[in-house]
């Protein structure tokens, strides 16, 4: 996501992190931060998503994740929230 934001938003994405936080560091932070602690069980896990039933029921297609992340970032920039 970070790479897509930097690529699509250019200078507007200057605050987007450039690296990935290692799992061991996240676990260390989780010792003192409750929010980080909630993420620890999901570290290193791939969580597949199937939108078949939602698409069939609601009758629409989801936009790709990359496009959604960029659109969200653009919206936040336009609203002055980022």
């Amino acid at each position: 996501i970070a790479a897509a934001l930097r690529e699509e938003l250019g200078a507007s994405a200057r605050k987007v992190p450039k690296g990935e936080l290692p799992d061991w560091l996240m676990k260390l932070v989780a010792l003192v931060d409750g929010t980080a602690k909630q993420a620890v069980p999901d570290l290193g896990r791939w969580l597949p998503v199937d939108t078949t039933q939602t698409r069939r029921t609601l009758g629409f297609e989801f936009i790709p994740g990359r496009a959604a992340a960029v659109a969200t970032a653009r919206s936040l920039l336009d609203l002055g929230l980022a």
Side-chain angles (χ1 to χ4, degrees):
I1 292 173
L5 293 178
R6 281 193 302 278
E7 183 179 310
E8 296 288 331
L9 302 177
S12 296
R14 64 187 173 281
K15 293 183 179 181
V16 173
K18 292 176 179 61
E20 185 174 315
L21 188 66
D23 288 356
W24 65 267
L25 184 54
M26 184 69 167
K27 290 176 184 177
L28 185 64
V29 171
L31 295 174
V32 295
D33 185 290
T35 302
K37 187 175 185 177
Q38 292 176 356
V40 168
D42 292 327
L43 292 176
R45 291 182 56 204
W46 174 255
L47 303 173
V49 176
D50 181 7
T51 61
T52 305
Q53 185 175 357
T54 304
R55 287 184 287 125
R56 187 177 330 121
T57 303
L58 300 177
F60 68 86
E61 290 295 322
F62 291 93
I63 63 173
R66 176 186 175 106
V70 171
T72 300
R74 281 199 175 113
S75 178
L76 291 171
L77 289 167
D78 291 345
L79 293 170
L81 299 174

